[in-house]
Amino acid sequence: MKTSRLLAALLVAILTLPLPMTAQDKKLFTLEDLNFGGNNYRNLQPENKWLTWWGDQLIRTDVEECFLIDKKSGKETRLFTLDDINRWAESNEAENRYVRHLMNATFPYPDQPIVAVGNKQAFVLIDFKAKKIVWQDSISGQDANDWNSTSRATAYVEDYQLFIADAQGKKHQLSTDGSREVVYGKSVHRNEFGIDKGTFWSPDGQRLAFYRMDQSMVTDYPQVDIFPREATYDPDKYPMAGMNAHVVTVGVYDMTSGKTIYLDTPVSKDYNRAVEGSPFDNIPIYFTNIAWSPDAKTVYLFELNRDQNDCRLVSYDAVTGKRIAELYRETSDKYVEPQYPIQFLPWDADKFILQSQRDGYNHLYIYNKVGQLIRQLTSGPWVVQEVLGFNAKQKSIIFEGNPYHPLHRQIYSVNVDNGKMTQLTVDDGVHHGDLSASGAFFVDRHTSPTQPRNISVAPASGGFPVGKAPASSGFPAGKATRLLTASDPWADYQQPIFECGSIKAADGTTDLYYRMVKPADFDPNRKYPTVVYVYGGPHAHLVEASWHWNSRPWETYMAQKGYITFILDNRGSEYRGRDFEQATFRQLGQIEMQDQMQGVAYLKSLPYVDADRLGVHGWSFGGFMTISLMLNYPDVFKVGVAGGPVIDWKYYEVMYGERYMDTPQQNPEGYEKTSLLDKAKNLKGRLQIITGYNDPTVVPQNCLSFLDACVKAGTQPDFYAYPGEGHNMRGHASVHLHERITRYFEDYLR
């Protein structure tokens, strides 16, 4: 009897257990889930931790609390709360300057218990042990705000003029002629050459180097603001290839003397010739990667001629502005592209590291301060992708690179004295590091095709030798602490199949890597409509060994609707070395199309790809590629959607356009060959062109000129514009955009 009751109870328990969720039971995605502008997007992102360093101590910041993390155990101890900070900052109460969250809290002084917090109205330093404000800056929220932790001075731009507020709050006005035409203290050269700001503090915070950009000679592109009752003229300065470029000079302001000097660069000496902007002049007109000597007496910058094939590292006296010496020169029959400032060794102020592709791949070189090469520090057919910093105690440089595999990114250290390289991370996938102040520890943010996110902390001295690390072996025992292993946030949803592989480029020898996304219920006996998603341009890659092989959420949405998407990184894309990148020189789109058509040939070889239902979609350079493929291979692609496309490179800007294409005067054959205007007559399939109506990057003249060419040729593309939007759609407009793209394929490729 007891046995019967037990079996009956067990049967009831089994019957009432929740059944495992089948694929058919799982949720379907909407664009509100998948798109960054969607209202449920954040809930479907992998779990994360926001971490920052306080010297060599690790801190987790959150909305309302900050925690100190024990690096060995991962145990957290609360340092303070948001209420604590606002209570200690009560002196701001009358002006309603309370801190609203702690997510962006920083700890600028490794040896002091000081946290920096703020909002648009105020920026304060609080001693969280003494529980009081120790300093505050009342000019936060101004344009181009740049605070120096050493001098506690802030550089900023207000009403076009450049100012410095010193630690006592006294304002120093550095310019008087600032305007829309003459720009101070902001990014120049249209953010090319690694430039992302316009002010550069010396190590001691007593001198400020800054850009001055005269763009009065640059033509206005006539943008229009359509939102007022009467539309208004709202132009952009847009220097097109082969036309006048803006003129940049570099100033240095001395806080002690209150004086500004300008570096005696070639532009300073020959301003008129720079204004004329002749592409055949060898005068350097691009000044980038500004760096300071450790003693704050010398300014270094790379000077590049307009042809972008002659690059020189030059030093200048920060007091007089006089040119001291040319320390390094690199030339090319194609182009040289300086992206990184030199970095002095913390333990030896007479030596610096320089990054260059001169041997075919981006690597590290050690020079002394007079420009003598000491040694090449890294080498091989792989790329140093990012320098994280230095470990002074071990005299090593910590960096990210891809020697293991082009799709994988690992963290390494290299000893400056002997060149010995040590692999610090070993799990397959993509690793990004954040180094502590001394370089003794680093946070590792790791992802792989099947793992959304891992976060660990480890010493920057362990690891395995390069190439000897077993796949997925984890860190050496006792060397690292796992702080987070994120679960799959899509677990309750029906997910597509993500695959990765390689094919040969059109040259027959180069490996190209692709990603393919298939429907969750993929049946190899069916025929599927397939969309080639393409970018293809410089400084980008689409395929890597991160979560879902770096798949874009829109690909999941399309897979859910029964499409296969195919993504291939052609020659010309990044992280494969100089020759791979420069194969497209003077003929943008041509080599790229050849490689993409190798991908199409591969697709056609697959029995489940419907070769009669091939589509193509891309944005920006990918928009250019989309229309190029539609017009050059009109019988291959049935449907295309091109966003923000370049149509003719003569309409694109000087710095980028001339690097890859030279000028229209120098390379008329290349511009004619790559232009899409005279190919408008070739359009056969359905093509939708989409643009931001106020795009300042690929100006609407591109799209409109192509529409005019189609009118004259009698071909019929479709066109859609987003009023008030730039090169990419912001916020919820992005959801609308991707629904529109999807519907176009549903209407014409299904």
Side-chain angles (χ1 to χ4, degrees):
M1 178 67 83
K2 289 182 179 179
T3 303
S4 298
R5 289 178 179 174
L6 181 61
L7 288 173
L10 182 60
L11 181 60
V12 170
I14 291 173
L15 291 175
T16 56
L17 281 173
L19 295 174
M21 189 177 288
T22 65
Q24 290 74 23
D25 295 328
K26 291 192 173 185
K27 302 176 186 177
L28 295 180
F29 290 102
T30 70
L31 283 175
E32 298 291 351
D33 302 320
L34 293 170
N35 187 270
F36 72 87
N39 56 31
N40 197 42
Y41 175 77
R42 293 186 181 276
N43 294 326
L44 290 180
Q45 295 307 293
E47 184 184 357
N48 202 356
K49 286 182 183 287
W50 281 261
L51 303 171
T52 189
W53 288 103
W54 171 24
D56 284 341
Q57 299 191 75
L58 187 59
I59 305 294
R60 180 170 73 85
T61 63
D62 210 329
V63 175
E64 295 192 355
E65 297 173 300
C66 283
F67 299 87
L68 177 67
I69 300 176
D70 185 288
K71 294 189 293 295
K72 292 183 179 180
S73 68
K75 181 181 178 181
E76 296 185 352
T77 304
R78 191 168 68 187
L79 279 179
F80 48 78
T81 69
L82 181 62
D83 286 342
D84 292 334
I85 290 294
N86 283 318
R87 186 169 62 254
W88 301 334
E90 62 183 354
S91 60
N92 286 328
E93 184 175 4
E95 299 176 44
N96 194 27
R97 289 178 174 173
Y98 281 101
V99 178
R100 294 175 177 84
H101 65 82
L102 297 176
M103 299 296 291
N104 298 324
T106 60
F107 298 77
Y109 306 106
D111 56 347
Q112 299 178 52
I114 292 177
V115 59
V117 291
N119 52 40
K120 291 185 177 180
Q121 284 73 44
F123 177 72
V124 298
L125 300 180
I126 293 179
D127 186 322
F128 53 85
K129 289 189 176 179
K131 302 180 180 180
K132 65 178 182 180
I133 288 180
V134 295
W135 183 84
Q136 77 176 69
D137 174 3
S138 60
I139 58 90
S140 292
Q142 303 294 338
D143 207 7
N145 188 284
D146 185 4
W147 179 71
N148 181 266
S149 61
T150 303
S151 65
R152 297 182 181 174
T154 304
Y156 63 97
V157 175
E158 186 174 44
D159 295 329
Y160 295 111
Q161 308 305 336
L162 180 60
F163 294 87
I164 289 177
D166 61 27
Q168 290 72 44
K170 180 182 178 182
K171 291 186 178 181
H172 306 249
Q173 185 167 347
L174 280 60
S175 69
T176 56
D177 61 337
S179 66
R180 180 175 169 271
E181 307 282 344
V182 180
V183 179
Y184 284 91
K186 293 189 177 182
S187 178
V188 300
H189 303 322
R190 295 188 65 83
N191 289 40
E192 296 293 330
F193 317 109
I195 298 170
D196 61 6
K197 64 174 190 170
T199 54
F200 309 87
W201 283 105
S202 62
D204 61 2
Q206 295 301 313
R207 292 190 175 106
L208 180 78
F210 60 89
Y211 281 129
R212 178 187 188 272
M213 177 172 64
D214 183 350
Q215 53 182 0
S216 59
M217 70 292 298
V218 175
T219 303
D220 281 333
Y221 184 84
Q223 301 277 15
V224 175
D225 181 357
I226 60 109
F227 293 103
R229 172 64 179 84
E230 294 181 340
T232 58
Y233 182 53
D234 188 19
D236 291 325
K237 289 290 184 180
Y238 197 89
M240 290 187 179
M243 302 181 74
N244 284 348
H246 52 239
V247 175
V248 170
T249 48
V250 179
V252 177
Y253 179 79
D254 189 311
M255 294 271 289
T256 303
S257 68
K259 295 181 179 179
T260 297
I261 57 95
Y262 280 86
L263 304 187
D264 196 13
T265 64
V267 160
S268 301
K269 295 177 181 178
D270 201 343
Y271 198 90
N272 290 331
R273 201 150 57 97
V275 169
E276 292 167 3
S278 168
F280 305 105
D281 283 341
N282 201 40
I283 178 175
I285 67 167
Y286 301 127
F287 303 101
T288 184
N289 299 294
I290 292 174
W292 283 91
S293 62
D295 64 6
K297 294 180 179 179
T298 309
V299 178
Y300 301 84
L301 63 157
F302 285 98
E303 301 181 350
L304 190 65
N305 65 333
R306 180 155 180 174
D307 277 342
Q308 300 187 44
N309 58 12
D310 189 345
C311 178
R312 309 177 191 219
L313 173 64
V314 181
S315 59
Y316 288 90
D317 188 306
V319 177
T320 66
K322 297 297 183 182
R323 185 180 190 272
I324 299 173
E326 179 183 306
L327 304 178
Y328 173 80
R329 184 178 184 185
E330 185 175 339
T331 60
S332 170
D333 59 353
K334 293 181 179 177
Y335 55 85
V336 182
E337 189 177 6
Q339 288 284 313
Y340 310 99
I342 63 171
Q343 295 172 276
F344 281 87
L345 303 180
W347 59 89
D348 188 346
D350 290 334
K351 296 184 179 68
F352 61 83
I353 61 169
L354 177 145
Q355 298 187 52
S356 171
Q357 288 200 108
R358 69 190 195 192
D359 77 343
Y361 297 87
N362 190 56
H363 281 300
L364 306 179
Y365 298 80
I366 298 290
Y367 280 82
N368 66 21
K369 66 179 182 181
V370 296
Q372 294 174 325
L373 175 63
I374 297 173
R375 69 177 62 87
Q376 182 172 348
L377 203 55
T378 61
S379 62
W382 55 273
V383 174
V384 171
Q385 293 165 296
E386 183 175 356
V387 172
L388 301 179
F390 301 91
N391 184 329
K393 184 176 181 180
Q394 294 204 338
K395 296 185 178 179
S396 62
I397 301 169
I398 315 299
F399 68 91
E400 298 169 4
N402 63 359
Y404 176 66
H405 188 279
L407 300 188
H408 294 248
R409 186 179 185 122
Q410 301 281 356
I411 300 175
Y412 302 83
S413 70
V414 60
N415 185 276
V416 170
D417 293 333
N418 58 30
K420 180 182 177 182
M421 204 159 81
T422 303
Q423 189 169 332
L424 301 180
T425 56
V426 295
D427 286 340
D428 284 353
V430 174
H431 296 260
H432 292 283
D434 182 14
L435 208 58
S436 70
S438 73
F441 301 93
F442 70 100
V443 169
D444 171 42
R445 294 181 178 272
H446 164 252
T447 177
S448 74
T450 58
Q451 176 55 39
R453 180 177 289 122
N454 294 320
I455 302 178
S456 302
V457 59
S461 57
F464 293 95
V466 174
K468 300 288 182 68
S472 303
S473 64
F475 288 91
K479 290 286 187 179
T481 302
R482 180 61 56 84
L483 302 176
L484 171 69
T485 300
S487 59
D488 185 351
W490 292 11
D492 294 337
Y493 288 79
Q494 190 180 111
Q495 299 187 38
I497 300 166
F498 301 95
E499 297 178 352
C500 181
S502 67
I503 63 172
K504 293 298 181 183
D507 63 7
T509 59
T510 305
D511 287 327
L512 303 177
Y513 298 96
Y514 69 81
R515 174 178 68 249
M516 186 179 291
V517 184
K518 300 175 180 177
D521 60 352
F522 173 73
D523 179 354
N525 297 311
R526 285 182 55 190
K527 290 277 190 180
Y528 290 89
T530 300
V531 177
V532 175
Y533 178 76
V534 60
Y535 181 75
H539 292 297
H541 68 285
L542 299 179
V543 185
E544 67 176 19
S546 58
W547 194 37
H548 296 161
W549 296 104
N550 201 35
S551 178
R552 301 170 64 250
W554 179 75
E555 297 159 23
T556 291
Y557 193 57
M558 291 296 285
Q560 187 173 275
K561 290 183 175 292
Y563 295 82
I564 289 174
T565 52
F566 180 81
I567 299 89
L568 178 74
D569 280 332
N570 51 246
R571 283 174 291 167
S573 54
E574 67 181 352
Y575 297 149
R576 296 292 304 278
R578 180 193 62 203
D579 294 343
F580 186 95
E581 296 169 8
Q582 295 189 351
T584 64
F585 182 60
R586 296 187 113 219
Q587 52 173 345
L588 287 178
Q590 308 309 300
I591 295 295
E592 300 94 319
M593 281 193 292
Q594 293 174 26
D595 286 352
Q596 290 294 330
M597 292 309 295
Q598 290 297 109
V600 169
Y602 170 67
L603 288 174
K604 288 182 174 182
S605 74
L606 301 174
Y608 48 81
V609 169
D610 189 342
D612 294 326
R613 289 188 294 166
L614 287 180
V616 58
H617 166 48
W619 200 270
S620 192
F621 197 101
F624 163 68
M625 287 292 296
T626 294
I627 301 179
S628 295
L629 288 164
M630 290 284 291
L631 302 184
N632 284 278
Y633 302 93
D635 296 318
V636 173
F637 297 98
K638 185 178 180 181
V639 181
V641 179
V646 174
I647 295 296
D648 192 310
W649 289 100
K650 70 174 179 284
Y651 296 139
Y652 203 64
E653 52 95 345
V654 166
M655 297 80 194
Y656 182 106
E658 292 182 4
R659 178 187 313 129
Y660 303 116
M661 289 290 291
D662 283 334
T663 66
Q665 299 95 317
Q666 294 168 308
N667 184 22
E669 299 87 359
Y671 277 81
E672 181 180 1
K673 185 178 182 180
T674 60
S675 175
L676 303 177
L677 295 175
D678 64 349
K679 300 179 181 66
K681 62 183 181 295
N682 298 342
L683 181 62
K684 288 187 177 181
R686 298 299 304 238
L687 172 64
Q688 177 172 236
I689 302 171
I690 304 175
T691 190
Y693 182 77
N694 299 94
D695 191 339
T697 304
V698 181
V699 293
Q701 184 173 0
N702 284 272
C703 293
L704 298 176
S705 64
F706 185 72
L707 295 180
D708 178 65
C710 289
V711 170
K712 293 172 180 174
T715 51
Q716 295 283 344
D718 296 314
F719 180 65
Y720 195 87
Y722 281 84
E725 295 290 340
H727 193 48
N728 299 100
M729 305 310 112
R730 299 164 295 178
H732 206 265
S734 182
V735 176
H736 184 279
L737 166 68
H738 284 85
E739 181 59 36
R740 181 163 195 85
I741 294 168
T742 304
R743 287 189 184 187
Y744 201 77
F745 286 113
E746 287 279 80
D747 288 343
Y748 300 112
L749 194 64
R750 169 60 66 183

